mmCIF file of all heavy atoms in Angstrom:
data_model
loop_
_atom_site.group_PDB
_atom_site.id
_atom_site.type_symbol
_atom_site.label_atom_id
_atom_site.label_comp_id
_atom_site.label_asym_id
_atom_site.label_seq_id
_atom_site.Cartn_x
_atom_site.Cartn_y
_atom_site.Cartn_z
ATOM 1 N N THR A 121 77.632 80.814 98.557
ATOM 2 C CA THR A 121 78.522 79.606 98.343
ATOM 3 C C THR A 121 79.973 80.020 98.839
ATOM 4 O O THR A 121 80.690 79.043 99.080
ATOM 5 C CB THR A 121 78.609 79.187 96.872
ATOM 6 O OG1 THR A 121 79.057 80.302 96.134
ATOM 7 C CG2 THR A 121 77.186 78.805 96.411
ATOM 8 N N VAL A 122 80.296 81.237 98.893
ATOM 9 C CA VAL A 122 81.658 81.619 99.427
ATOM 10 C C VAL A 122 81.440 82.591 100.655
ATOM 11 O O VAL A 122 82.167 83.537 100.814
ATOM 12 C CB VAL A 122 82.420 82.426 98.287
ATOM 13 C CG1 VAL A 122 82.841 81.395 97.241
ATOM 14 C CG2 VAL A 122 81.704 83.457 97.607
ATOM 15 N N GLU A 123 80.456 82.214 101.473
ATOM 16 C CA GLU A 123 80.100 82.993 102.665
ATOM 17 C C GLU A 123 81.406 83.170 103.611
ATOM 18 O O GLU A 123 81.639 84.212 104.114
ATOM 19 C CB GLU A 123 79.072 82.356 103.375
ATOM 20 C CG GLU A 123 78.561 83.067 104.618
ATOM 21 C CD GLU A 123 77.395 82.381 105.275
ATOM 22 O OE1 GLU A 123 77.023 81.308 104.870
ATOM 23 O OE2 GLU A 123 76.850 82.933 106.261
ATOM 24 N N ASP A 124 82.215 82.113 103.726
ATOM 25 C CA ASP A 124 83.369 82.112 104.617
ATOM 26 C C ASP A 124 84.356 83.178 104.079
ATOM 27 O O ASP A 124 85.135 83.738 104.887
ATOM 28 C CB ASP A 124 84.005 80.761 104.693
ATOM 29 C CG ASP A 124 83.225 79.749 105.523
ATOM 30 O OD1 ASP A 124 82.292 80.344 106.303
ATOM 31 O OD2 ASP A 124 83.485 78.535 105.470
ATOM 32 N N TYR A 125 84.499 83.317 102.758
ATOM 33 C CA TYR A 125 85.364 84.247 102.141
ATOM 34 C C TYR A 125 85.056 85.663 102.595
ATOM 35 O O TYR A 125 86.032 86.394 103.134
ATOM 36 C CB TYR A 125 85.364 84.178 100.650
ATOM 37 C CG TYR A 125 86.125 85.241 99.953
ATOM 38 C CD1 TYR A 125 87.422 85.275 99.897
ATOM 39 C CD2 TYR A 125 85.418 86.282 99.234
ATOM 40 C CE1 TYR A 125 88.162 86.288 99.239
ATOM 41 C CE2 TYR A 125 86.040 87.281 98.502
ATOM 42 C CZ TYR A 125 87.391 87.282 98.565
ATOM 43 O OH TYR A 125 88.121 88.279 97.843
ATOM 44 N N TYR A 126 83.790 86.105 102.544
ATOM 45 C CA TYR A 126 83.365 87.375 102.967
ATOM 46 C C TYR A 126 83.419 87.577 104.477
ATOM 47 O O TYR A 126 83.784 88.660 104.992
ATOM 48 C CB TYR A 126 82.019 87.682 102.408
ATOM 49 C CG TYR A 126 82.016 87.808 100.944
ATOM 50 C CD1 TYR A 126 81.321 86.905 100.120
ATOM 51 C CD2 TYR A 126 82.565 88.870 100.244
ATOM 52 C CE1 TYR A 126 81.379 86.937 98.759
ATOM 53 C CE2 TYR A 126 82.666 88.970 98.915
ATOM 54 C CZ TYR A 126 82.041 87.958 98.099
ATOM 55 O OH TYR A 126 82.056 88.090 96.707
ATOM 56 N N ASN A 127 83.171 86.387 105.189
ATOM 57 C CA ASN A 127 83.302 86.574 106.623
ATOM 58 C C ASN A 127 84.665 86.710 107.091
ATOM 59 O O ASN A 127 84.906 87.505 108.060
ATOM 60 C CB ASN A 127 82.725 85.292 107.247
ATOM 61 C CG ASN A 127 81.223 85.225 107.161
ATOM 62 O OD1 ASN A 127 80.560 86.146 106.830
ATOM 63 N ND2 ASN A 127 80.672 83.979 107.392
ATOM 64 N N THR A 128 85.634 86.248 106.384
ATOM 65 C CA THR A 128 87.113 86.280 106.613
ATOM 66 C C THR A 128 87.492 87.792 106.453
ATOM 67 O O THR A 128 88.227 88.355 107.232
ATOM 68 C CB THR A 128 87.929 85.453 105.797
ATOM 69 O OG1 THR A 128 87.591 84.040 106.118
ATOM 70 C CG2 THR A 128 89.486 85.722 106.070
ATOM 71 N N ILE A 129 87.007 88.423 105.299
ATOM 72 C CA ILE A 129 87.305 89.829 105.017
ATOM 73 C C ILE A 129 86.754 90.693 106.123
ATOM 74 O O ILE A 129 87.381 91.576 106.691
ATOM 75 C CB ILE A 129 86.767 90.201 103.724
ATOM 76 C CG1 ILE A 129 87.449 89.566 102.514
ATOM 77 C CG2 ILE A 129 86.754 91.755 103.499
ATOM 78 C CD1 ILE A 129 86.876 89.762 101.179
ATOM 79 N N ARG A 130 85.500 90.368 106.537
ATOM 80 C CA ARG A 130 84.849 91.154 107.622
ATOM 81 C C ARG A 130 85.683 91.085 108.955
ATOM 82 O O ARG A 130 85.952 92.111 109.576
ATOM 83 C CB ARG A 130 83.404 90.618 107.855
ATOM 84 C CG ARG A 130 82.677 91.230 108.992
ATOM 85 C CD ARG A 130 81.412 90.409 109.403
ATOM 86 N NE ARG A 130 81.815 89.203 110.033
ATOM 87 C CZ ARG A 130 81.026 88.153 110.092
ATOM 88 N NH1 ARG A 130 79.752 88.173 109.662
ATOM 89 N NH2 ARG A 130 81.454 87.002 110.739
ATOM 90 N N THR A 131 86.142 89.837 109.247
ATOM 91 C CA THR A 131 86.887 89.689 110.572
ATOM 92 C C THR A 131 88.249 90.412 110.363
ATOM 93 O O THR A 131 88.680 91.074 111.385
ATOM 94 C CB THR A 131 87.129 88.167 110.683
ATOM 95 O OG1 THR A 131 86.001 87.504 110.822
ATOM 96 C CG2 THR A 131 88.041 88.009 111.940
ATOM 97 N N ASN A 132 88.876 90.449 109.304
ATOM 98 C CA ASN A 132 90.190 91.073 109.075
ATOM 99 C C ASN A 132 89.945 92.588 109.252
ATOM 100 O O ASN A 132 90.835 93.325 109.801
ATOM 101 C CB ASN A 132 90.820 90.811 107.716
ATOM 102 C CG ASN A 132 91.369 89.411 107.694
ATOM 103 O OD1 ASN A 132 91.683 88.804 108.700
ATOM 104 N ND2 ASN A 132 91.375 88.801 106.489
ATOM 105 N N ILE A 133 88.830 93.172 108.767
ATOM 106 C CA ILE A 133 88.525 94.540 108.931
ATOM 107 C C ILE A 133 88.311 94.903 110.407
ATOM 108 O O ILE A 133 88.797 95.903 110.905
ATOM 109 C CB ILE A 133 87.252 94.925 108.087
ATOM 110 C CG1 ILE A 133 87.694 94.857 106.565
ATOM 111 C CG2 ILE A 133 86.840 96.317 108.413
ATOM 112 C CD1 ILE A 133 86.466 95.119 105.636
ATOM 113 N N ILE A 134 87.590 94.041 111.149
ATOM 114 C CA ILE A 134 87.315 94.326 112.501
ATOM 115 C C ILE A 134 88.529 94.188 113.295
ATOM 116 O O ILE A 134 88.752 95.165 114.257
ATOM 117 C CB ILE A 134 86.218 93.217 113.019
ATOM 118 C CG1 ILE A 134 84.895 93.434 112.321
ATOM 119 C CG2 ILE A 134 86.159 93.324 114.532
ATOM 120 C CD1 ILE A 134 83.890 92.379 112.625
ATOM 121 N N LEU A 135 89.427 93.269 112.973
ATOM 122 C CA LEU A 135 90.667 93.174 113.730
ATOM 123 C C LEU A 135 91.620 94.334 113.580
ATOM 124 O O LEU A 135 92.621 94.482 114.323
ATOM 125 C CB LEU A 135 91.419 91.827 113.305
ATOM 126 C CG LEU A 135 90.753 90.561 113.758
ATOM 127 C CD1 LEU A 135 91.466 89.311 113.217
ATOM 128 C CD2 LEU A 135 90.701 90.463 115.305
ATOM 129 N N LYS A 136 91.371 95.139 112.588
ATOM 130 C CA LYS A 136 92.172 96.407 112.402
ATOM 131 C C LYS A 136 91.986 97.345 113.583
ATOM 132 O O LYS A 136 92.772 98.259 113.848
ATOM 133 C CB LYS A 136 91.706 97.170 111.088
ATOM 134 C CG LYS A 136 92.089 96.425 109.843
ATOM 135 C CD LYS A 136 93.436 96.867 109.326
ATOM 136 C CE LYS A 136 93.738 96.303 107.978
ATOM 137 N NZ LYS A 136 95.053 96.703 107.542
ATOM 138 N N ASN A 137 90.836 97.098 114.262
ATOM 139 C CA ASN A 137 90.443 97.884 115.559
ATOM 140 C C ASN A 137 90.492 99.387 115.186
ATOM 141 O O ASN A 137 90.908 100.188 115.992
ATOM 142 C CB ASN A 137 91.526 97.575 116.586
ATOM 143 C CG ASN A 137 91.023 97.981 118.008
ATOM 144 O OD1 ASN A 137 89.804 97.989 118.207
ATOM 145 N ND2 ASN A 137 91.940 98.299 118.906
ATOM 146 N N LYS A 138 89.895 99.713 114.030
ATOM 147 C CA LYS A 138 89.742 101.131 113.658
ATOM 148 C C LYS A 138 88.389 101.539 113.933
ATOM 149 O O LYS A 138 87.419 100.728 113.912
ATOM 150 C CB LYS A 138 90.037 101.217 112.133
ATOM 151 C CG LYS A 138 91.451 100.812 111.654
ATOM 152 C CD LYS A 138 92.501 101.817 112.070
ATOM 153 C CE LYS A 138 93.797 101.395 111.481
ATOM 154 N NZ LYS A 138 94.861 102.366 111.803
ATOM 155 N N ASN A 139 88.244 102.868 114.201
ATOM 156 C CA ASN A 139 86.914 103.515 114.358
ATOM 157 C C ASN A 139 86.268 103.856 113.097
ATOM 158 O O ASN A 139 86.383 105.038 112.683
ATOM 159 C CB ASN A 139 87.029 104.602 115.352
ATOM 160 C CG ASN A 139 85.638 105.204 115.757
ATOM 161 O OD1 ASN A 139 84.666 104.541 115.629
ATOM 162 N ND2 ASN A 139 85.638 106.478 116.140
ATOM 163 N N PHE A 140 85.671 102.945 112.333
ATOM 164 C CA PHE A 140 85.147 103.188 111.036
ATOM 165 C C PHE A 140 83.601 103.106 111.041
ATOM 166 O O PHE A 140 83.013 102.347 111.731
ATOM 167 C CB PHE A 140 85.750 102.267 109.912
ATOM 168 C CG PHE A 140 85.515 100.874 110.204
ATOM 169 C CD1 PHE A 140 84.325 100.184 109.828
ATOM 170 C CD2 PHE A 140 86.513 100.051 110.901
ATOM 171 C CE1 PHE A 140 84.140 98.883 110.185
ATOM 172 C CE2 PHE A 140 86.355 98.708 111.196
ATOM 173 C CZ PHE A 140 85.134 98.113 110.763
ATOM 174 N N LYS A 141 83.003 103.938 110.084
ATOM 175 C CA LYS A 141 81.610 103.906 110.007
ATOM 176 C C LYS A 141 81.179 103.969 108.590
ATOM 177 O O LYS A 141 80.238 103.303 108.160
ATOM 178 C CB LYS A 141 80.896 104.996 110.829
ATOM 179 C CG LYS A 141 79.361 104.927 110.824
ATOM 180 C CD LYS A 141 78.812 105.942 111.821
ATOM 181 C CE LYS A 141 77.271 105.743 111.903
ATOM 182 N NZ LYS A 141 76.706 106.543 113.009
ATOM 183 N N THR A 142 81.810 104.876 107.835
ATOM 184 C CA THR A 142 81.564 105.010 106.407
ATOM 185 C C THR A 142 82.792 104.522 105.557
ATOM 186 O O THR A 142 83.885 105.050 105.704
ATOM 187 C CB THR A 142 81.302 106.420 106.035
ATOM 188 O OG1 THR A 142 82.285 107.313 106.615
ATOM 189 C CG2 THR A 142 79.827 106.911 106.560
ATOM 190 N N ILE A 143 82.563 103.456 104.810
ATOM 191 C CA ILE A 143 83.634 102.836 104.006
ATOM 192 C C ILE A 143 83.364 103.130 102.516
ATOM 193 O O ILE A 143 82.287 102.706 102.045
ATOM 194 C CB ILE A 143 83.705 101.340 104.297
ATOM 195 C CG1 ILE A 143 84.025 101.090 105.784
ATOM 196 C CG2 ILE A 143 84.794 100.724 103.492
ATOM 197 C CD1 ILE A 143 83.991 99.594 106.158
ATOM 198 N N VAL A 144 84.312 103.668 101.819
ATOM 199 C CA VAL A 144 84.186 103.790 100.385
ATOM 200 C C VAL A 144 84.791 102.575 99.731
ATOM 201 O O VAL A 144 85.924 102.231 100.121
ATOM 202 C CB VAL A 144 84.805 105.153 99.889
ATOM 203 C CG1 VAL A 144 86.213 105.154 100.124
ATOM 204 C CG2 VAL A 144 84.487 105.358 98.444
ATOM 205 N N ALA A 145 84.132 101.988 98.799
ATOM 206 C CA ALA A 145 84.593 100.810 98.075
ATOM 207 C C ALA A 145 84.933 101.221 96.639
ATOM 208 O O ALA A 145 84.151 101.686 95.905
ATOM 209 C CB ALA A 145 83.553 99.622 98.047
ATOM 210 N N THR A 146 86.222 101.184 96.329
ATOM 211 C CA THR A 146 86.598 101.603 95.036
ATOM 212 C C THR A 146 87.676 100.653 94.420
ATOM 213 O O THR A 146 88.049 99.642 94.999
ATOM 214 C CB THR A 146 87.175 103.020 95.087
ATOM 215 O OG1 THR A 146 87.495 103.538 93.753
ATOM 216 C CG2 THR A 146 88.492 102.982 95.904
ATOM 217 N N SER A 147 88.134 100.885 93.307
ATOM 218 C CA SER A 147 89.056 100.023 92.584
ATOM 219 C C SER A 147 90.096 100.858 91.839
ATOM 220 O O SER A 147 89.910 102.093 91.593
ATOM 221 C CB SER A 147 88.399 99.093 91.592
ATOM 222 O OG SER A 147 87.570 99.785 90.690
#
């Protein structure tokens, strides 16, 4: 139901233009 929200996060990460492969998710 909030697919666009996560797609926006994905796009913002891609636009960082970083060479990433392993991402740690923490808080």
Side-chain angles (χ1 to χ4, degrees):
T121 61
V122 289
E123 183 177 5
D124 286 345
Y125 169 72
Y126 293 110
N127 289 345
T128 299
I129 293 174
R130 179 193 70 198
T131 301
N132 288 335
I133 291 174
I134 292 173
L135 289 175
K136 292 270 187 182
N137 200 27
K138 301 285 187 178
N139 185 22
F140 57 85
K141 185 168 187 175
T142 50
I143 302 176
V144 65
T146 186
S147 55

